[in-house]
Each structure stands twice: as C-alpha cells, then as structure tokens.
Short mmCIF file of all heavy atoms in Angstrom, two decimals:
data_model
loop_
_atom_site.label_atom_id
_atom_site.label_comp_id
_atom_site.label_asym_id
_atom_site.label_seq_id
_atom_site.Cartn_x
_atom_site.Cartn_y
_atom_site.Cartn_z
N THR A 1 0.90 -1.25 -0.01
CA THR A 1 -0.02 0.04 0.03
C THR A 1 0.86 1.28 0.00
O THR A 1 2.07 1.16 0.12
CB THR A 1 -0.91 0.07 1.26
OG1 THR A 1 -0.15 0.37 2.39
CG2 THR A 1 -1.63 -1.22 1.45
N TRP A 2 0.25 2.39 -0.01
CA TRP A 2 1.00 3.68 0.02
C TRP A 2 1.69 3.84 1.44
O TRP A 2 2.54 4.70 1.51
CB TRP A 2 0.09 4.80 -0.27
CG TRP A 2 -1.12 4.90 0.63
CD1 TRP A 2 -2.33 4.38 0.32
CD2 TRP A 2 -1.16 5.56 1.86
NE1 TRP A 2 -3.18 4.64 1.36
CE2 TRP A 2 -2.56 5.32 2.37
CE3 TRP A 2 -0.31 6.27 2.63
CZ2 TRP A 2 -2.96 5.85 3.50
CZ3 TRP A 2 -0.80 6.82 3.83
CH2 TRP A 2 -2.06 6.59 4.28
N LYS A 3 1.28 3.10 2.35
CA LYS A 3 1.81 3.31 3.70
C LYS A 3 3.22 2.67 3.94
O LYS A 3 3.99 3.09 4.74
CB LYS A 3 0.86 2.81 4.78
CG LYS A 3 -0.49 3.42 4.79
CD LYS A 3 -1.35 2.77 5.87
CE LYS A 3 -2.72 3.51 6.02
NZ LYS A 3 -3.60 2.80 7.09
N ASN A 4 3.42 1.48 3.12
CA ASN A 4 4.60 0.70 3.73
C ASN A 4 5.81 0.79 2.77
O ASN A 4 6.44 -0.20 2.54
CB ASN A 4 4.11 -0.76 3.84
CG ASN A 4 3.43 -1.29 2.59
OD1 ASN A 4 3.45 -0.69 1.54
ND2 ASN A 4 2.92 -2.48 2.72
N TYR A 5 6.15 2.03 2.33
CA TYR A 5 7.47 2.24 1.76
C TYR A 5 8.52 2.09 2.86
O TYR A 5 8.27 2.34 4.02
CB TYR A 5 7.59 3.54 1.05
CG TYR A 5 7.39 4.77 1.91
CD1 TYR A 5 8.44 5.36 2.51
CD2 TYR A 5 6.05 5.32 2.17
CE1 TYR A 5 8.25 6.43 3.34
CE2 TYR A 5 5.91 6.38 2.99
CZ TYR A 5 6.97 6.97 3.56
OH TYR A 5 6.80 8.07 4.41
N ILE A 6 9.78 1.54 2.44
CA ILE A 6 10.74 1.31 3.52
C ILE A 6 11.80 2.41 3.61
O ILE A 6 12.44 2.49 4.65
CB ILE A 6 11.43 0.01 3.24
CG1 ILE A 6 12.14 -0.05 1.82
CG2 ILE A 6 10.43 -1.17 3.29
CD1 ILE A 6 13.01 -1.23 1.55
N SER A 7 11.81 3.34 2.65
CA SER A 7 12.76 4.42 2.72
C SER A 7 12.50 5.30 1.58
O SER A 7 11.61 5.06 0.74
CB SER A 7 14.24 3.94 2.57
OG SER A 7 14.49 3.22 1.45
N LYS A 8 13.19 6.50 1.62
CA LYS A 8 12.90 7.51 0.52
C LYS A 8 14.25 8.31 0.42
O LYS A 8 15.00 8.48 1.22
CB LYS A 8 11.76 8.30 0.75
CG LYS A 8 11.67 9.05 2.13
CD LYS A 8 10.30 9.83 2.20
CE LYS A 8 10.29 10.46 3.59
NZ LYS A 8 8.95 11.15 3.82
N ILE A 9 14.36 8.77 -0.88
CA ILE A 9 15.50 9.64 -1.30
C ILE A 9 14.90 10.96 -1.66
O ILE A 9 14.11 11.02 -2.64
CB ILE A 9 16.31 9.04 -2.35
CG1 ILE A 9 16.81 7.67 -1.94
CG2 ILE A 9 17.48 9.99 -2.66
CD1 ILE A 9 17.35 6.90 -3.13
N TYR A 10 15.25 12.08 -1.02
CA TYR A 10 14.64 13.41 -1.34
C TYR A 10 15.54 14.11 -2.47
O TYR A 10 16.75 14.20 -2.25
CB TYR A 10 14.70 14.25 -0.12
CG TYR A 10 14.31 15.62 -0.28
CD1 TYR A 10 12.93 15.93 -0.84
CD2 TYR A 10 15.09 16.72 -0.09
CE1 TYR A 10 12.60 17.17 -1.06
CE2 TYR A 10 14.65 17.99 -0.31
CZ TYR A 10 13.41 18.25 -0.85
OH TYR A 10 13.04 19.57 -1.08
N ALA A 11 14.92 14.47 -3.52
CA ALA A 11 15.57 15.18 -4.63
C ALA A 11 15.43 16.61 -4.60
O ALA A 11 16.37 17.35 -4.92
CB ALA A 11 15.11 14.57 -5.96
N GLY A 12 14.30 17.14 -4.21
CA GLY A 12 14.10 18.61 -4.05
C GLY A 12 13.26 19.17 -5.13
O GLY A 12 12.59 20.20 -4.96
N GLU A 13 13.15 18.56 -6.23
CA GLU A 13 12.26 18.95 -7.43
C GLU A 13 11.74 17.70 -8.08
O GLU A 13 12.22 16.61 -7.83
CB GLU A 13 12.98 19.86 -8.32
CG GLU A 13 13.42 21.25 -7.71
CD GLU A 13 14.15 22.18 -8.69
OE1 GLU A 13 13.49 22.52 -9.64
OE2 GLU A 13 15.30 22.46 -8.48
N SER A 14 10.93 17.94 -9.11
CA SER A 14 10.17 16.80 -9.71
C SER A 14 11.18 15.79 -10.31
O SER A 14 12.02 16.18 -11.16
CB SER A 14 9.26 17.37 -10.71
OG SER A 14 9.95 18.11 -11.76
N VAL A 15 11.03 14.53 -9.89
CA VAL A 15 11.83 13.49 -10.42
C VAL A 15 11.17 12.89 -11.69
O VAL A 15 9.99 12.45 -11.68
CB VAL A 15 12.00 12.40 -9.43
CG1 VAL A 15 12.92 11.19 -10.00
CG2 VAL A 15 12.66 12.92 -8.15
N LYS A 16 11.94 12.91 -12.80
CA LYS A 16 11.40 12.48 -14.06
C LYS A 16 12.01 11.17 -14.59
O LYS A 16 11.38 10.51 -15.46
CB LYS A 16 11.63 13.56 -15.09
CG LYS A 16 10.74 14.78 -14.94
CD LYS A 16 9.34 14.50 -15.01
CE LYS A 16 8.44 15.71 -14.83
NZ LYS A 16 8.56 16.73 -15.91
N SER A 17 13.18 10.78 -14.10
CA SER A 17 13.82 9.58 -14.62
C SER A 17 14.68 8.94 -13.57
O SER A 17 15.29 9.50 -12.70
CB SER A 17 14.71 10.05 -15.80
OG SER A 17 15.47 9.00 -16.38
N LEU A 18 14.65 7.57 -13.73
CA LEU A 18 15.48 6.63 -12.83
C LEU A 18 16.16 5.71 -13.72
O LEU A 18 15.69 5.16 -14.71
CB LEU A 18 14.59 5.87 -11.85
CG LEU A 18 13.67 6.77 -10.89
CD1 LEU A 18 12.78 5.90 -10.12
CD2 LEU A 18 14.50 7.59 -10.01
N TYR A 19 17.48 5.37 -13.27
CA TYR A 19 18.30 4.35 -13.98
C TYR A 19 19.04 3.56 -12.97
O TYR A 19 19.70 4.19 -12.11
CB TYR A 19 19.22 5.04 -15.02
CG TYR A 19 19.90 4.08 -15.87
CD1 TYR A 19 19.43 3.81 -17.18
CD2 TYR A 19 21.08 3.39 -15.44
CE1 TYR A 19 20.10 2.86 -17.97
CE2 TYR A 19 21.74 2.52 -16.33
CZ TYR A 19 21.24 2.28 -17.51
OH TYR A 19 21.87 1.33 -18.38
N ILE A 20 18.94 2.27 -13.08
CA ILE A 20 19.68 1.42 -12.13
C ILE A 20 21.00 0.93 -12.71
O ILE A 20 20.98 0.40 -13.82
CB ILE A 20 18.81 0.12 -11.70
CG1 ILE A 20 17.68 0.57 -10.84
CG2 ILE A 20 19.70 -0.88 -11.07
CD1 ILE A 20 17.92 0.68 -9.30
N GLN A 21 22.12 1.13 -11.98
CA GLN A 21 23.34 0.53 -12.30
C GLN A 21 23.94 0.09 -10.99
O GLN A 21 24.78 0.85 -10.35
CB GLN A 21 24.26 1.58 -13.10
CG GLN A 21 25.52 0.84 -13.60
CD GLN A 21 26.53 1.88 -14.17
OE1 GLN A 21 26.89 2.79 -13.50
NE2 GLN A 21 26.93 1.68 -15.44
N HIS A 22 23.59 -1.03 -10.53
CA HIS A 22 23.98 -1.52 -9.20
C HIS A 22 25.38 -1.33 -8.89
O HIS A 22 26.29 -1.65 -9.77
CB HIS A 22 23.50 -2.96 -8.93
CG HIS A 22 23.47 -3.29 -7.57
ND1 HIS A 22 22.41 -3.08 -6.72
CD2 HIS A 22 24.35 -3.93 -6.75
CE1 HIS A 22 22.57 -3.48 -5.53
NE2 HIS A 22 23.82 -4.07 -5.52
N PRO A 23 25.82 -0.75 -7.80
CA PRO A 23 25.01 -0.50 -6.60
C PRO A 23 24.41 0.93 -6.52
O PRO A 23 24.13 1.50 -5.48
CB PRO A 23 25.93 -0.66 -5.47
CG PRO A 23 27.18 -0.26 -6.01
CD PRO A 23 27.28 -0.56 -7.41
N CYS A 24 24.32 1.54 -7.68
CA CYS A 24 23.87 2.99 -7.81
C CYS A 24 22.48 3.15 -8.42
O CYS A 24 22.12 2.43 -9.35
CB CYS A 24 24.89 3.83 -8.52
SG CYS A 24 26.53 4.02 -7.61
N LEU A 25 21.78 4.14 -7.90
CA LEU A 25 20.54 4.63 -8.55
C LEU A 25 20.78 6.01 -9.02
O LEU A 25 21.20 6.89 -8.36
CB LEU A 25 19.38 4.58 -7.53
CG LEU A 25 18.03 5.25 -8.06
CD1 LEU A 25 17.49 4.34 -9.10
CD2 LEU A 25 17.06 5.46 -6.96
N HIS A 26 20.56 6.20 -10.34
CA HIS A 26 20.80 7.45 -11.02
C HIS A 26 19.47 8.13 -11.14
O HIS A 26 18.48 7.58 -11.66
CB HIS A 26 21.40 7.27 -12.28
CG HIS A 26 22.75 6.62 -12.29
ND1 HIS A 26 23.95 7.29 -12.30
CD2 HIS A 26 23.16 5.28 -12.20
CE1 HIS A 26 24.97 6.48 -12.24
NE2 HIS A 26 24.46 5.18 -12.12
N ILE A 27 19.34 9.34 -10.57
CA ILE A 27 18.03 10.12 -10.48
C ILE A 27 18.18 11.37 -11.31
O ILE A 27 19.07 12.23 -11.03
CB ILE A 27 17.74 10.44 -8.93
CG1 ILE A 27 17.66 9.19 -8.18
CG2 ILE A 27 16.37 11.25 -9.01
CD1 ILE A 27 17.62 9.43 -6.70
N GLY A 28 17.30 11.52 -12.25
CA GLY A 28 17.22 12.82 -12.98
C GLY A 28 16.03 13.63 -12.55
O GLY A 28 14.91 13.11 -12.73
N TYR A 29 16.24 14.70 -11.93
CA TYR A 29 15.15 15.57 -11.48
C TYR A 29 15.14 16.87 -12.37
O TYR A 29 16.13 17.15 -13.05
CB TYR A 29 15.14 15.73 -9.98
CG TYR A 29 16.33 16.56 -9.46
CD1 TYR A 29 16.22 17.90 -9.32
CD2 TYR A 29 17.53 15.96 -9.06
CE1 TYR A 29 17.31 18.63 -8.78
CE2 TYR A 29 18.54 16.61 -8.61
CZ TYR A 29 18.43 18.02 -8.41
OH TYR A 29 19.50 18.67 -7.90
N ALA A 30 14.21 17.69 -12.20
CA ALA A 30 13.96 18.82 -13.09
C ALA A 30 15.20 19.67 -13.35
O ALA A 30 15.56 19.87 -14.50
CB ALA A 30 12.88 19.81 -12.45
N THR A 31 16.05 19.99 -12.32
CA THR A 31 17.15 20.80 -12.56
C THR A 31 18.44 20.23 -12.01
O THR A 31 19.37 20.92 -11.69
CB THR A 31 16.92 22.18 -11.96
OG1 THR A 31 16.67 22.09 -10.52
CG2 THR A 31 15.75 22.96 -12.55
N GLY A 32 18.43 18.86 -11.88
CA GLY A 32 19.68 18.29 -11.38
C GLY A 32 19.73 16.76 -11.61
O GLY A 32 18.82 16.17 -12.17
N TYR A 33 20.87 16.19 -11.19
CA TYR A 33 21.24 14.84 -11.28
C TYR A 33 21.81 14.33 -9.95
O TYR A 33 22.66 14.95 -9.40
CB TYR A 33 22.15 14.68 -12.50
CG TYR A 33 22.89 13.32 -12.68
CD1 TYR A 33 22.12 12.18 -12.70
CD2 TYR A 33 24.16 13.27 -12.64
CE1 TYR A 33 22.74 10.94 -12.90
CE2 TYR A 33 24.88 12.10 -12.91
CZ TYR A 33 24.15 10.91 -12.97
OH TYR A 33 24.79 9.78 -13.15
N ILE A 34 21.28 13.14 -9.55
CA ILE A 34 21.74 12.62 -8.18
C ILE A 34 22.15 11.15 -8.53
O ILE A 34 21.51 10.48 -9.24
CB ILE A 34 20.59 12.62 -7.20
CG1 ILE A 34 20.29 14.02 -6.76
CG2 ILE A 34 20.89 11.69 -6.06
CD1 ILE A 34 19.12 14.11 -5.90
N ILE A 35 23.29 10.82 -7.85
CA ILE A 35 23.72 9.40 -7.77
C ILE A 35 23.54 8.91 -6.32
O ILE A 35 24.16 9.52 -5.40
CB ILE A 35 25.18 9.23 -8.16
CG1 ILE A 35 25.38 9.81 -9.67
CG2 ILE A 35 25.61 7.78 -8.13
CD1 ILE A 35 26.81 9.76 -10.07
N ALA A 36 22.79 7.93 -6.12
CA ALA A 36 22.48 7.41 -4.82
C ALA A 36 23.04 5.93 -4.64
O ALA A 36 23.04 5.16 -5.57
CB ALA A 36 21.04 7.46 -4.45
N ASP A 37 23.50 5.69 -3.38
CA ASP A 37 23.97 4.34 -3.04
C ASP A 37 22.68 3.55 -2.56
O ASP A 37 22.10 3.94 -1.60
CB ASP A 37 24.97 4.45 -1.96
CG ASP A 37 25.65 3.08 -1.60
OD1 ASP A 37 24.90 2.07 -1.48
OD2 ASP A 37 26.87 2.93 -1.59
N ILE A 38 22.46 2.40 -3.14
CA ILE A 38 21.25 1.63 -2.79
C ILE A 38 21.66 0.21 -2.36
O ILE A 38 20.90 -0.83 -2.50
CB ILE A 38 20.22 1.52 -4.00
CG1 ILE A 38 20.90 0.98 -5.23
CG2 ILE A 38 19.64 2.90 -4.26
CD1 ILE A 38 19.89 0.61 -6.32
N ARG A 39 22.90 -0.02 -1.89
CA ARG A 39 23.31 -1.34 -1.40
C ARG A 39 22.41 -1.77 -0.31
O ARG A 39 22.14 -2.97 -0.13
CB ARG A 39 24.82 -1.29 -1.06
CG ARG A 39 25.70 -1.35 -2.16
CD ARG A 39 27.14 -1.21 -1.79
NE ARG A 39 27.38 0.08 -1.36
CZ ARG A 39 28.69 0.57 -1.08
NH1 ARG A 39 29.72 -0.21 -1.23
NH2 ARG A 39 28.91 1.83 -0.67
N ASP A 40 22.07 -0.89 0.58
CA ASP A 40 21.09 -1.16 1.62
C ASP A 40 19.77 -0.43 1.26
O ASP A 40 19.65 0.77 1.56
CB ASP A 40 21.61 -0.77 2.95
CG ASP A 40 20.65 -1.13 4.06
OD1 ASP A 40 19.51 -1.58 3.77
OD2 ASP A 40 20.96 -0.93 5.18
N PRO A 41 18.79 -1.02 0.60
CA PRO A 41 17.58 -0.39 0.21
C PRO A 41 16.82 0.30 1.42
O PRO A 41 15.99 1.26 1.18
CB PRO A 41 16.70 -1.46 -0.37
CG PRO A 41 17.64 -2.51 -0.82
CD PRO A 41 18.73 -2.47 0.31
N PHE A 42 16.99 -0.19 2.63
CA PHE A 42 16.40 0.44 3.74
C PHE A 42 17.07 1.71 4.21
O PHE A 42 16.50 2.46 4.94
CB PHE A 42 16.35 -0.63 4.92
CG PHE A 42 15.47 -1.80 4.74
CD1 PHE A 42 15.90 -2.85 3.96
CD2 PHE A 42 14.14 -1.72 5.21
CE1 PHE A 42 15.08 -3.96 3.75
CE2 PHE A 42 13.33 -2.81 5.07
CZ PHE A 42 13.73 -3.94 4.33
N LYS A 43 18.32 1.86 3.78
CA LYS A 43 19.06 3.09 4.13
C LYS A 43 19.80 3.65 2.92
O LYS A 43 21.08 3.71 2.95
CB LYS A 43 19.99 2.78 5.21
CG LYS A 43 19.35 2.42 6.53
CD LYS A 43 20.31 2.16 7.62
CE LYS A 43 19.69 1.77 9.00
NZ LYS A 43 20.65 1.52 10.02
N PRO A 44 19.08 3.98 1.83
CA PRO A 44 19.85 4.51 0.70
C PRO A 44 20.33 5.89 1.06
O PRO A 44 19.83 6.57 1.96
CB PRO A 44 18.81 4.60 -0.39
CG PRO A 44 17.45 4.78 0.44
CD PRO A 44 17.67 3.98 1.64
N PHE A 45 21.41 6.33 0.41
CA PHE A 45 21.94 7.65 0.67
C PHE A 45 22.46 8.31 -0.61
O PHE A 45 22.89 7.60 -1.52
CB PHE A 45 23.00 7.67 1.79
CG PHE A 45 24.19 6.92 1.50
CD1 PHE A 45 25.31 7.49 0.80
CD2 PHE A 45 24.24 5.54 1.80
CE1 PHE A 45 26.42 6.70 0.66
CE2 PHE A 45 25.45 4.80 1.56
CZ PHE A 45 26.48 5.41 0.98
#
C-alpha cells in the first residue's frame, strides 16, 4: 500500500527519470542529477 514504503530519497524537485546501475541509482530531476547508493535499500543515501 502507500503506507509501507521502507525508505525514501529526497531530490528537491520533480523526479522524471530513474536508472539502475547497481549499486547505484541514478536520478534525473527537473534541474539536477543525483547518484544514490542503494546497497542497503532500507538506508539509501
């Protein structure tokens, strides 16, 4: 359900694109680009 997400990554503006290249999640948001570590999905950073 919408209640039971286990973690979240804050981008700051609208996220339009995601790309997985383990162990990284690449996030494209309106005015920027983020690389996140997802080795522990419960504690991504």
Side-chain angles (χ1 to χ4, degrees):
T1 73
W2 55 269
K3 297 180 180 180
N4 52 10
Y5 59 92
I6 60 173
S7 61
K8 55 187 177 180
I9 304 167
Y10 175 62
E13 296 182 61
S14 59
V15 178
K16 291 297 180 67
S17 177
L18 302 174
Y19 188 98
I20 289 280
Q21 188 187 55
H22 196 82
C24 293
L25 175 67
H26 300 262
I27 303 169
Y29 65 93
T31 58
Y33 167 54
I34 288 171
I35 303 175
D37 186 312
I38 55 170
R39 282 175 290 188
D40 182 352
F42 289 84
K43 295 180 180 180
F45 62 90

